[in-house]
């Protein structure tokens, strides 16, 4: 293993980077020693590449390019040389700024000291403000930034600092405020202001940034020694307002019904104005700031603030969810930037400057710019790779390979691609599903990542860490999040008012359960359900989300009442604030969220969520862009410990294990070529061949007629159930970071299940799904026999798990597949008969109704005399023609038809879901009996589990069920395995029938 993996952390967080890992043009590690010096500012996404080969013809499209950022690198060079000047008199800054720089660089801090990246960001702004304008050689840089602003933000001067998530943007804001406020107190200058508007994208960040208010007891200026003691009075005189950008929305000044508005309108021509004016909005949102002549604006998570590019349409046409997302981004960005522009117009000297801070200062979808395009006013950059090499953030590990050999992609790297279509899009759709209906690949991903979490949980416990590590699941919508939440944490159903609980499940993941094994709710919930958008709005919770999270909300209310008094958690409006308090205190001892181990979130949690105990993340949503991936992964990057290793002087590496979030995207432009239309053939029943009509029953289901309650089973090779990673998802996933050690994750929780536990659950599933009486009640007295047969099936080796743990049989779909095989074996072995259930409205089908057109190749039926009522056989492959020739030539064949557009279907169960099987051919045959035999004929090469289920159902349920009805003639089933010898196989089959051998 090269140094890239042995030494992920190269640099001290308190000094400029001195070494960097060499990467190739795609941002992947090279097999060589670290290089001296600092990596130039480039767009680098530090994510290990998938080891699996991409499909042929599939290219790679990365949002971030790999060209160097010329402006940032040029400014960085000047700042580095300026920083190296030893004599403060040569710095070219005010005395106040000089004192601050010396304090930040050299003071012996009692607590956390500023990281180099934090000081560098502020130094860059200071240099551009105080030094660069006075030097001819560097003044051109400001002209370049001003030009970019004039194009994108007319009238405003913005400077952006790109800082990796977890690198401490709040500290940078405090330092910027100190620099401005102290200088404004010492001298009057257009460069400085002591009035500040801090704008945030949500209530959570707004609340967290209260540490920037000097009046707060835990403010950063004092608790983190950001200000020399003698300068604290200047900070206390600063005016600081922190506002959510939603505050710029003009609100109604008159709450009135439609009728009341009509009465007020009267006969006036102009509609009455009930929205706030700009002045009213600013007075509410900005307060005392309006009394100052200039204000400095600081944007947190500034990628939400921009104006749409004039005439810009670089994204092309958007549709569906992409279009909705773009519209939401555009509306939020427009409101944010409009608010700043309105403030600029209202002040005598306007907005002095806008300082943007973001880990991802890119234009979003809907901006008119190419998505992910860097703000052209970004002047400093401390990238995620820089932060990893300095140890400031956790190292993200992602899947790089798995044991699913049939795919060219790593399944858990982009989980949504494999499961999205099977998950609900609305609450109504989710209401039709149970938590047990989650896709198997999702269940396996949850089990695998949770199994690794168990080990981390135990390591934290042994280390004496007072709070647990945190596992977060980020979902696409509230419908999915509710199902995932209940699958993880448990649920109960029934009418509590009636004292009834119809069903209960404690939850699949033991450490995350909100219930004990007896069904009682735990005193403190371990898993939290959060809808980020609702929580951030500050409004009352949506009813559907309130219902889903209701029990946990009530528990948190009780706990808060105990901690802080009964009046602290009352009222509907307080519920979002309550959940926000829980969310914001996850991982903090003595607070409401300290015991939370798992967070199931809609959206991506909030961008300002600074919980530093996150160790595992699973994405269950679409990730359309690299930008979105980076934002979600950022929720898990904050370090848990900031203690330096005394031996190395560096941070020790910490990891965040991440599944379901694709850091790289594959896309290639598609071109279409004109194609000559294929000839059209009309396939129809020929009237003159009416004597060749084949009539068949339209079966909708089956019922077993048992004369006794004695159950026996005859197991055959078709009773064997094979489960592989292709059925349930990869069960061995290699997780690696761009640097550092890798880890292999497996769903160990599934390996600990005992055979007795498996047979019990299998028998229970059989009882409730296959053995009910006419009133729908399970035949409980049959359970001991069913469990005996289930254990016999297991002990007989009919469960074949290949590369998956035996416990995978307890997935709902796999239980259903096993139950179907055992049920059919019972039909073979028990006394009684199987009866087919016909469609009551349309019980009869016939070849005479065939009439359709197709562009597929067709073979014309034309035996002499004819043997097929239908004009053509549609050739889906070459074997259909071969079989049709065989049937036309054999003297015992009376009539045949290919089953295409005939409506002949055989219902069968697959993984608990009723499906429809369309056999290949129907053949009426003279087998020497009193009446002809009608054969259901199938040609199948390789057989998977679905093919086995179709054959078993046809042979053991459909054929005996139809024959038992009477009135439909005699039916049989045959399956050919090799198309190349069908003629010989069919001749053997006919000979067997003539000699009365079984089919």
């Amino acid at each position: 293993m090269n140094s890239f993996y042995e030494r992920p952390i190269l640099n001290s967080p308190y000094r400029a980077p001195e070494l960097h890992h060499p990467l190739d043009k795609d941002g992947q590690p090279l097999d060589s020693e670290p290089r001296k010096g600092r990596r130039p500012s480039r767009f680098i996404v530090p994510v290990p590449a998938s080891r699996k080969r991409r499909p042929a013809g599939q290219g790679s499209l990365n949002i971030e390019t790999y060209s160097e950022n010329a402006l940032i690198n040029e400014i960085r060079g000047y700042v580095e040389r300026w920083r190296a000047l030893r004599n403060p008199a040569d710095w070219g800054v005010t005395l106040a700024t000089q004192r601050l720089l010396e304090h930040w660089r050299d003071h012996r801090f009692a607590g956390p000291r500023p990281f180099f990246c934090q000081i560098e960001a502020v130094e860059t702004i200071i240099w551009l403000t105080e030094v660069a304008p006075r030097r001819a050689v560097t003044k051109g840089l400001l002209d370049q930034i001003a030009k970019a602003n004039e194009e994108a933000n007319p009238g405003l001067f913005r400077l952006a600092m790109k800082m990796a998530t977890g690198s401490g943007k709040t500290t940078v804001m405090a330092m910027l405020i100190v620099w401005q406020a102290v200088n404004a107190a010492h001298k009057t200058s257009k460069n400085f202001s002591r009035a500040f508007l801090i704008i945030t994208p949500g209530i959570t960040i707004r609340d967290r940034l209260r540490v920037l208010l000097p009046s707060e007891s835990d403010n950063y200026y004092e608790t983190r020694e950001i200000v020399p003691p003698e300068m604290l009075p200047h900070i206390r005189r600063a005016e600081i307002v922190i506002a959510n950008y939603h505050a710029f929305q003009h609100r109604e000044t008159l709450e009135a019904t439609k009728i009341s508005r009509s009465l007020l309108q009267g006969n006036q021509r102009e509609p009455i104005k009930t929205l706030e004016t700009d002045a009213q909005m600013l007075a509410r949102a900005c307060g005392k700031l309006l009394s100052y002549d200039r204000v400095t604006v600081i944007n947190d998570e500034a990628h939400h603030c921009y104006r749409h590019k004039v005439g810009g349409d670089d994204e092309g046409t958007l549709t569906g969810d992409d279009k909705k997302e773009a519209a939401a981004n555009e509306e939020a960005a427009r409101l944010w930037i409009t608010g700043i522009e309105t403030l600029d117009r209202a002040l005598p000297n306007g907005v002095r400057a806008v300082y943007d801070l973001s880990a991802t200062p890119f234009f979003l979808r809907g901006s008119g710019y190419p998505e992910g395009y860097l703000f052209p006013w970004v002047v400093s950059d401390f990238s995620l790779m820089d932060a990893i090499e300095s140890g400031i953030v956790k190292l993200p590990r992602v899947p790089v390979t798995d044991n699913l050999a049939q795919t060219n992609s790593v399944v858990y790297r982009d989980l949504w691609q494999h499961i999205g279509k099977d998950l609900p899009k609305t609450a109504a759709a989710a209401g039709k599903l149970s938590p047990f209906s989650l896709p198997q690949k999702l269940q396996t991903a949850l089990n695998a990542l949770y199994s690794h979490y168990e080990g981390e949980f135990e390591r934290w416990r042994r280390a004496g860490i007072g709070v647990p590590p945190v596992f977060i699941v980020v979902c696409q919508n509230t419908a999915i999040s509710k199902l995932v939440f209940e699958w993880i944490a448990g649920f109960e159903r029934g009418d509590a008012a009636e004292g009834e609980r119809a069903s209960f499940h404690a939850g699949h993941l033991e450490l995350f359960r909100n219930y004990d094994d007896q069904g009682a709710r735990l005193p403190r919930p371990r898993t939290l359900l959060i809808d980020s958008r609702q929580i951030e709005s500050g409004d009352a919770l949506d009813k559907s989300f309130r219902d889903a999270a209701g029990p946990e909300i009530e528990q948190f209310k009780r706990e808060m009442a105990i901690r802080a008094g009964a009046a602290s958690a009352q009222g509907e409006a307080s519920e979002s604030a309550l959940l926000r308090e829980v969310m914001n205190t996850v991982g903090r001892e003595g607070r409401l969220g300290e015991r939370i181990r798992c967070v199931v979130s809609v959206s991506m949690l909030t961008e300002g969520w600074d919980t530093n105990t996150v160790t595992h993340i699973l994405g269950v949503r679409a990730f359309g862009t690299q930008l979105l991936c980076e934002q979600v992964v950022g929720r898990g990057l904050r370090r848990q410990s900031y203690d330096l290793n005394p031996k190395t002087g560096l941070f020790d590496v910490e990891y965040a294990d991440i599944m379901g979030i694709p850091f790289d995207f594959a896309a290639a432009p598609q071109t279409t070529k004109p194609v000559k239309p294929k000839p059209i053939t009309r396939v129809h029943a020929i009237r003159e061949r009416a004597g060749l009509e084949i009539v068949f029953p339209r079966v909708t289901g089956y019922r077993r007629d048992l004369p006794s309650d004695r159950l026996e089973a005859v197991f055959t090779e078709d009773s064997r159930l094979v489960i592989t990673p292709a059925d349930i998802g990869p069960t061995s996933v290699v997780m690696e970071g761009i640097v550092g050690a890798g880890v292999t994750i497996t769903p160990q929780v599934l390996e600990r299940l005992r055979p007795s536990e498996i047979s019990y659950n299998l028998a229970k599933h059989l009882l409730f799904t296959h053995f009910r009486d006419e009133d729908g009640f399970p035949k409980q007295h049959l359970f001991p026999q069913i469990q005996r047969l289930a254990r016999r099936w297991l002990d007989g080796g009919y469960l074949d798990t290949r590369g998956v743990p035996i416990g995978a049989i307890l997935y709902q779909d796999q239980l259903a597949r096993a139950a179907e095989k055992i049920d059919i074996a019972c039909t073979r072995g028990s006394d009684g008969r199987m009866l087919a259930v016909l469609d009551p409205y349309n019980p009869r089908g016939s070849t005479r109704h065939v009439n359709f057109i197709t562009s597929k190749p067709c073979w014309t039926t034309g035996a002499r005399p004819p043997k097929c009522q239908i004009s053509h056989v549609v050739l889906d492959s070459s074997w259909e023609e071969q079989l049709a020739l065989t049937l036309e030539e054999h003297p015992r064949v009376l009539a045949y038809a290919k089953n295409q557009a005939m409506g002949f279907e055989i219902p069968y169960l697959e993984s608990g879901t009723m499906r429809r099987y369309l056999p290949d051919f129907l053949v009426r045959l003279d087998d020497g009996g009193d009446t002809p035999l009608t054969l259901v004929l199938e040609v199948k090469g390789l057989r998977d589990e679905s093919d086995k289920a179709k054959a078993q159902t046809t042979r053991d349920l459909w054929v005996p069920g139809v024959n038992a009805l009477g009135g439909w003639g005699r039916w049989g089933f045959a399956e050919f395995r090799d198309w190349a010898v069908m003629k010989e196989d069919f001749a053997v089959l006919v000979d067997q029938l003539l000699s009365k051998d079984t089919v």
Side-chain angles (χ1 to χ4, degrees):
M1 183 177 292
N2 64 26
S3 64
F4 193 83
Y5 296 96
E6 293 173 342
R7 296 174 56 195
I9 297 176
L10 299 175
N11 302 304
S12 166
Y14 303 113
R15 297 194 303 270
E18 299 167 351
L19 297 168
H20 66 275
H21 290 295
L23 307 178
D24 64 19
K25 63 182 180 62
D26 295 320
Q28 299 304 314
L30 294 171
D31 188 10
S32 61
E33 289 298 306
R35 294 177 180 172
K36 292 184 178 181
R38 186 175 182 181
R39 177 184 294 103
S41 174
R42 301 167 64 204
F43 283 120
I44 296 176
V45 181
V47 180
S50 168
R51 294 182 190 167
K52 289 194 172 184
R53 180 177 55 83
R54 294 184 184 276
Q58 194 175 41
S60 176
L61 174 65
N62 287 313
I63 287 295
E64 296 194 352
T65 63
Y66 292 91
S67 58
E68 294 188 3
N69 300 316
L71 174 65
I72 295 173
N73 288 322
E74 186 175 0
I75 292 173
R76 179 185 290 176
Y78 283 118
V79 172
E80 285 176 351
R81 291 189 289 274
W82 171 71
R83 185 189 304 120
L85 296 173
R86 293 189 176 185
N87 186 353
D90 296 333
W91 293 351
V93 297
T94 67
L95 289 176
T97 301
Q98 178 182 315
R99 173 74 178 97
L100 288 171
L101 288 171
E102 290 174 326
H103 177 77
W104 294 332
R105 292 172 180 175
D106 302 323
H107 177 68
R108 298 184 66 178
F109 289 82
R113 58 183 286 198
F115 293 140
F116 165 79
C117 63
Q118 296 167 336
I119 297 175
E120 181 189 45
V122 179
E123 285 177 338
T124 303
I125 301 300
I126 290 174
W127 183 84
L128 285 168
T129 305
E130 298 192 44
V131 181
R134 299 206 303 269
R135 297 180 180 178
V137 70
T138 55
K139 192 175 184 301
L141 293 173
L142 292 170
D143 294 338
Q144 184 178 340
I145 297 169
K147 181 180 179 182
N149 273 295
E150 189 59 32
E151 291 177 359
N153 312 286
L156 298 177
F157 186 73
R158 297 176 70 176
L159 297 173
M161 290 148 278
K162 182 175 181 286
M163 299 184 66
T165 298
S167 57
K169 293 190 291 295
T170 305
T171 297
V172 174
M173 292 182 204
M175 296 166 77
L176 288 170
I177 290 172
V178 167
W179 164 61
Q180 281 282 311
V182 169
N183 274 290
H186 281 80
K187 61 180 294 187
T188 301
S189 168
K190 65 181 179 62
N191 286 335
F192 304 112
S193 170
R194 65 185 184 93
F196 303 88
L197 175 62
I198 304 172
I199 308 175
T200 73
I203 295 176
T204 296
I205 304 181
R206 185 197 67 185
D207 294 344
R208 185 169 61 80
L209 292 185
R210 291 186 64 82
V211 294
L212 297 176
L213 299 177
S215 58
E216 293 289 312
S217 60
D218 59 347
N219 72 80
Y220 272 20
Y221 314 108
E222 296 178 62
T223 61
R224 300 213 175 190
E225 303 176 81
I226 298 298
V227 187
E230 72 273 14
M231 292 182 170
L232 274 172
H234 302 313
I235 299 303
R236 294 187 180 122
R237 289 197 294 270
E239 190 67 50
I240 303 171
V241 172
I242 306 173
N244 187 349
Y245 81 90
H246 298 89
F248 297 137
Q249 184 73 56
H250 290 68
R251 297 177 182 175
E252 287 282 351
T253 58
L254 177 65
E255 295 293 337
T257 64
K258 186 176 180 180
I259 295 176
S260 300
R261 285 177 181 273
S262 178
L263 291 172
L264 291 170
Q265 178 71 41
N267 294 324
Q268 301 178 58
R269 292 184 178 180
E270 294 294 324
I272 59 171
K273 296 180 179 179
T274 60
L275 282 179
E276 291 176 323
T277 63
D278 285 348
Q280 289 172 316
M281 179 273 291
L282 288 175
R284 172 178 50 77
C286 302
K288 295 180 180 179
L289 295 180
L290 296 177
S291 62
Y292 290 82
D293 62 342
R294 64 172 61 89
V295 170
T296 297
V297 173
I298 300 176
N299 286 330
D300 195 7
E301 306 298 352
H303 51 274
H304 294 286
C305 175
Y306 52 79
R307 185 161 292 288
H308 192 283
K309 183 179 181 182
V310 177
D313 188 24
D314 289 348
E315 301 159 307
T317 303
L318 301 175
T319 59
D321 291 341
D322 291 344
K323 187 175 182 179
K324 293 178 182 177
E325 179 188 342
N329 290 340
E330 169 70 9
E331 174 60 23
R334 182 199 59 77
L335 180 60
W336 192 319
I337 192 70
T338 299
I340 298 175
E341 291 169 342
T342 304
L343 177 63
D344 180 59
R345 292 192 296 269
L347 298 174
N349 293 322
V351 170
R352 195 201 67 76
V354 179
Y355 298 134
D356 295 336
L357 291 102
S358 173
T360 52
F362 309 118
F363 288 102
L364 302 178
R365 178 175 297 167
S367 65
Y369 294 84
E371 185 173 17
Y373 185 79
L374 183 72
F375 288 170
W377 54 91
V378 175
V379 294
S380 71
D381 175 24
F382 199 78
S383 69
L384 180 54
M385 192 63 200
D386 296 329
I388 288 173
E389 290 171 341
S390 298
I392 292 173
V393 297
K394 291 191 182 88
L395 175 63
R397 285 192 295 212
V398 298
V400 295
T401 190
D402 57 42
N403 65 339
L404 193 57
Q406 294 92 330
T407 66
N408 287 320
S409 62
V410 181
V411 172
Y412 297 149
R413 197 175 179 109
D414 189 359
L415 184 59
W416 185 259
Q417 176 186 344
H418 300 272
I419 65 171
K421 64 180 182 302
D422 299 322
L423 287 170
K425 294 180 174 58
T426 63
K432 301 175 183 177
L433 301 174
S434 79
F436 303 107
S437 303
L438 291 178
Q440 294 176 86
K441 286 185 175 66
L442 174 55
Q443 294 185 48
T444 305
L446 283 163
N447 277 315
L449 202 56
Y450 168 77
S451 295
H452 187 260
Y453 172 92
E454 282 186 323
E456 193 70 11
F457 181 88
E458 179 60 22
R459 285 188 287 274
W460 282 41
R461 188 192 65 78
R462 290 199 303 265
I465 300 174
V467 293
V470 175
F471 183 117
I472 64 177
V473 185
V474 182
C475 297
Q476 178 81 0
N477 55 48
T478 54
I480 296 171
S481 67
K482 180 176 183 293
L483 293 173
V484 171
F485 173 72
E486 292 184 339
W487 188 92
I488 290 174
F491 62 88
E492 53 187 322
R493 298 282 191 270
D495 190 343
E498 299 294 331
E500 170 194 350
R501 185 165 67 183
S503 63
F504 157 75
H505 192 275
H508 287 83
L509 306 182
E510 184 175 359
L511 293 175
F512 299 157
R513 290 174 178 169
N514 287 346
Y515 298 85
D516 62 24
D517 291 336
Q518 286 69 47
R521 298 189 66 85
L522 298 177
R524 291 182 177 181
R526 296 169 174 172
T527 298
L528 176 67
L529 178 64
I530 285 290
D531 183 338
S532 300
R533 292 188 182 95
Q534 290 192 39
I535 299 304
E536 287 303 304
S537 70
D539 299 329
L541 299 178
D542 176 81
K543 183 180 183 303
S544 61
F545 176 70
R546 172 64 180 80
D547 292 343
E552 284 71 29
I553 291 174
E554 295 307 316
Q555 282 183 279
F556 289 130
K557 281 186 177 181
R558 288 193 292 271
E559 185 175 349
M560 179 172 270
I562 293 171
R563 294 188 185 211
S568 62
Q570 299 299 317
E572 191 70 25
S574 71
E575 290 178 343
S576 60
L578 176 68
L579 287 180
R580 194 161 52 249
E581 167 67 14
V582 179
M583 180 178 68
N584 289 341
T585 58
V586 168
R588 299 184 185 178
E589 292 189 64
R591 302 291 292 274
L592 209 56
E594 67 174 326
R595 295 290 97 195
I596 295 297
R597 301 173 180 179
C598 178
V599 179
V600 180
S601 167
V602 183
S603 189
M604 64 180 74
L605 294 172
T606 173
E607 290 170 282
W609 198 54
D610 63 346
T611 298
N612 63 354
T613 52
V614 175
T615 56
H616 297 77
I617 302 177
L618 179 66
V620 188
R621 59 159 295 160
F623 290 92
T625 67
Q626 194 83 34
L627 176 62
L628 184 57
C629 294
E630 220 169 309
Q631 289 172 339
V632 175
V633 170
R635 309 288 70 79
L637 294 185
R638 297 182 190 276
R639 288 187 62 90
Q640 190 269 330
S641 170
Y642 288 92
D643 295 327
L644 293 175
N645 185 312
K647 294 182 179 179
T648 65
L650 307 178
F651 284 138
D652 289 328
V653 66
E654 294 182 2
Y655 293 100
D657 290 291
I658 298 161
M659 286 184 176
I661 302 177
F663 282 85
D664 51 60
F665 299 96
Q670 301 295 314
T671 58
T672 58
K673 297 179 180 179
V675 178
K676 181 181 178 180
K678 295 180 180 179
I680 298 297
T681 303
R682 176 175 173 245
V683 181
H684 62 287
I686 299 174
R687 184 179 304 173
E688 292 75 17
R689 301 182 187 175
L692 301 174
E693 177 185 8
I694 298 178
V695 177
F696 53 85
R698 297 172 58 85
V699 175
T700 58
Y702 316 95
R703 65 183 179 88
R704 184 187 290 108
D705 182 17
L706 284 177
S708 70
D709 284 337
R710 184 170 177 272
L711 295 180
E712 291 294 341
V714 174
F715 296 118
T716 68
E717 185 58 30
D718 279 346
S719 302
R720 186 177 305 279
L721 174 61
V722 178
I723 307 178
T724 71
D727 298 306
I728 69 166
T731 54
S732 178
V733 186
V734 177
M735 308 280 288
E736 288 181 358
I738 195 69
V739 290
V743 64
T744 300
I745 289 180
T746 61
Q748 297 169 2
V749 289
L750 298 178
E751 298 170 1
R752 301 196 287 261
L753 295 171
R754 301 184 304 275
S756 58
E757 186 177 357
I758 293 173
S759 64
Y760 174 84
N761 282 279
L762 179 53
K764 181 180 176 182
H765 184 88
L766 264 163
L767 175 67
F768 280 84
T769 56
H770 293 273
F771 291 90
R772 292 180 178 269
D773 60 24
E774 294 180 355
D775 296 322
F777 294 104
K779 297 180 179 180
Q780 303 276 8
H781 62 285
L782 294 180
F783 185 77
Q785 294 185 69
I786 298 172
Q787 187 172 13
R788 172 178 57 82
L789 294 177
R791 187 59 186 260
R792 194 178 126 210
W793 181 79
L794 285 169
D795 294 343
Y798 292 101
L799 175 59
D800 184 358
T801 53
R802 301 178 183 177
V804 301
I806 190 172
I809 185 64
L810 295 190
Y811 282 6
Q812 199 76 356
D813 285 1
Q814 304 309 320
L815 275 177
R817 294 170 68 193
E820 290 151 20
K821 293 181 179 293
I822 296 173
D823 182 56
I824 290 176
C826 289
T827 301
R828 293 194 204 103
S830 302
D831 295 332
R833 60 177 184 163
M834 181 62 61
L835 295 175
V837 178
L838 301 184
D839 185 336
Y841 302 102
N842 190 13
R844 175 188 175 99
S846 169
T847 55
R848 67 187 173 92
H849 300 303
V850 172
N851 186 15
F852 64 94
I853 60 173
T854 179
S855 60
K856 294 181 178 180
C858 294
W859 180 79
T860 304
T861 59
R864 295 291 184 267
K867 291 189 176 181
C868 183
Q869 184 183 20
I870 302 171
S871 60
H872 298 81
V873 171
V874 179
L875 303 179
D876 294 308
S877 63
S878 59
W879 64 261
E880 281 100 341
E881 182 177 358
Q882 181 63 42
L883 183 53
L885 277 169
T886 297
L887 297 176
E888 292 210 339
E889 292 174 358
H890 201 286
R892 288 284 177 171
V893 173
L894 304 177
Y896 76 93
K898 185 185 178 192
N899 183 27
Q900 188 125 15
M902 281 170 42
F904 178 58
E905 301 173 335
I906 294 179
Y908 74 102
L909 279 174
E910 182 180 17
S911 303
T913 302
M914 183 63 75
R915 303 188 185 281
R916 298 284 172 177
Y917 158 46
L918 277 68
D920 293 325
F921 279 80
L922 291 182
V923 182
R924 191 159 67 226
L925 190 71
D926 176 8
D927 67 340
D930 295 336
T931 58
L933 173 72
T934 305
L935 276 178
V936 178
L937 206 57
E938 177 74 16
V939 179
K940 184 62 63 180
L942 295 175
R943 298 169 85 229
D944 57 19
E945 288 298 321
S946 177
D947 297 323
K948 291 180 184 178
K950 295 171 185 176
Q952 281 189 99
T953 301
T954 307
R955 179 181 292 110
D956 298 323
L957 300 184
W958 194 92
V959 168
V962 170
N963 287 337
L965 288 177
W968 295 95
R970 295 185 300 122
W971 289 78
F973 173 69
E975 192 176 23
F976 293 160
R977 304 295 299 277
D978 188 347
W979 66 269
V981 291
M982 281 188 298
K983 186 173 183 178
E984 293 82 354
D985 287 345
F986 187 76
V988 170
L989 172 65
V990 174
D991 289 342
Q992 290 174 343
L993 291 171
L994 288 171
S995 61
K996 305 303 181 185
D997 287 347
T998 57
V999 176

